[in-house]
Amino acid sequence: MRLLVLVSSILAATFLGACSSFRSAERSPSSTYYIDPQYYDFQILVSEALNFRAQALRFAQEKKLGETSDISLTRSEGEFVRAAGARYLEIRKKLLDLAIKEGELFALPNEVKLNPYKGTRSEGRIGDPHEIYQFNNPTTYYVDPTDAKGEQQFFRMHMALTAALLLMDNYLVAIQPYNENASLRYVLNYDSEQKRALQAIADSYSSTS
């Protein structure tokens, strides 16, 4: 999972950077840009993710996670940790769904190519039987940032890349310190409704597969 996000992020960032030059050339200062209907909900989701991270980081600092393994929780603190874990999983799923939806465009052996002034379209192609990645129907996506469909795709790629980077950042800042503490790791993985969910996420994040 981590490798997929990293590869998708790098490819998407390179592609979007190239797209920006065509967008700038086609637009005048008075022009309006396409805004995806999901963007407003996405802004709220990002705000919730950042708010969660701030709360988790503040609690970690108060309990001096990373400095000591001897952590004792009051009843209210235990409830806070469990509620925060459940909230993290909820936010993570929404961000992950968005990142994966657009990231699949860049999943090998699919290809995404700039197609300025020639229209946005997709076409299937015959896969190379000698390729490591065996897909039945590899697709080449041609994105023209100067037409309406391409502009929409371009915008959604921006949101997906933001979601992927936020997922990685939130894990490192707000989840890993808890996962590294044995007491809190037990609370989050076994004293909650979703057994071992956070450990599965940690394993996925650190996996090279």
Side-chain angles (χ1 to χ4, degrees):
M1 178 61 210
R2 183 186 183 191
L3 184 59
L4 171 62
V5 172
L6 282 172
V7 172
S8 297
S9 299
I10 293 170
L11 292 175
T14 303
F15 178 83
L16 294 176
C19 281
S20 63
S21 61
F22 293 103
R23 287 169 57 91
S24 299
E26 285 294 298
R27 298 291 183 175
S28 66
S30 60
S31 297
T32 57
Y33 288 98
Y34 169 82
I35 297 180
D36 193 277
Q38 286 186 300
Y39 179 61
Y40 302 104
D41 291 336
F42 180 63
Q43 284 183 306
I44 295 174
L45 181 60
V46 169
S47 178
E48 291 175 350
L50 294 176
N51 183 58
F52 162 81
R53 183 168 71 188
Q55 290 180 340
L57 182 59
R58 183 164 55 249
F59 185 83
Q61 291 173 337
E62 290 174 355
K63 302 302 290 186
K64 297 183 179 180
L65 296 185
E67 298 179 23
T68 177
S69 59
D70 185 17
I71 300 293
S72 60
L73 300 176
T74 65
R75 181 175 179 179
S76 62
E77 288 175 335
E79 291 175 352
F80 167 80
V81 170
R82 285 188 288 272
R87 183 58 180 149
Y88 167 74
L89 293 174
E90 180 182 344
I91 293 173
R92 179 184 182 274
K93 183 180 184 306
K94 294 178 180 179
L95 289 170
L96 189 60
D97 287 346
L98 178 59
I100 289 177
K101 182 179 179 181
E102 302 302 325
E104 287 176 350
L105 296 178
F106 295 90
L108 297 173
N110 291 337
E111 296 178 339
V112 182
K113 296 184 177 181
L114 275 176
N115 199 41
Y117 316 115
K118 297 179 182 179
T120 297
R121 60 187 174 85
S122 63
E123 63 180 33
R125 56 189 173 82
I126 298 175
D128 184 346
H130 301 294
E131 284 182 336
I132 297 176
Y133 302 91
Q134 294 295 325
F135 279 37
N136 293 327
N137 299 300
T139 302
T140 299
Y141 299 92
Y142 297 93
V143 181
D144 180 355
T146 67
D147 68 16
K149 187 176 180 180
E151 190 170 22
Q152 293 174 17
Q153 185 65 67
F154 182 49
F155 196 99
R156 285 193 286 267
M157 287 178 181
H158 270 294
M159 289 198 299
L161 182 59
T162 301
L165 294 176
L166 184 56
L167 278 169
M168 297 178 69
D169 198 34
N170 270 6
Y171 178 84
L172 283 174
V173 173
I175 299 302
Q176 187 166 309
Y178 289 78
N179 194 58
E180 291 178 345
N181 183 275
S183 298
L184 292 179
R185 184 168 62 248
Y186 181 87
V187 171
L188 290 169
N189 281 297
Y190 297 102
D191 194 13
S192 63
E193 294 182 0
Q194 295 175 294
K195 305 299 183 183
R196 289 187 56 79
L198 290 174
Q199 184 58 49
I201 292 171
D203 293 342
S204 175
Y205 182 86
S206 59
S207 174
T208 58
S209 65

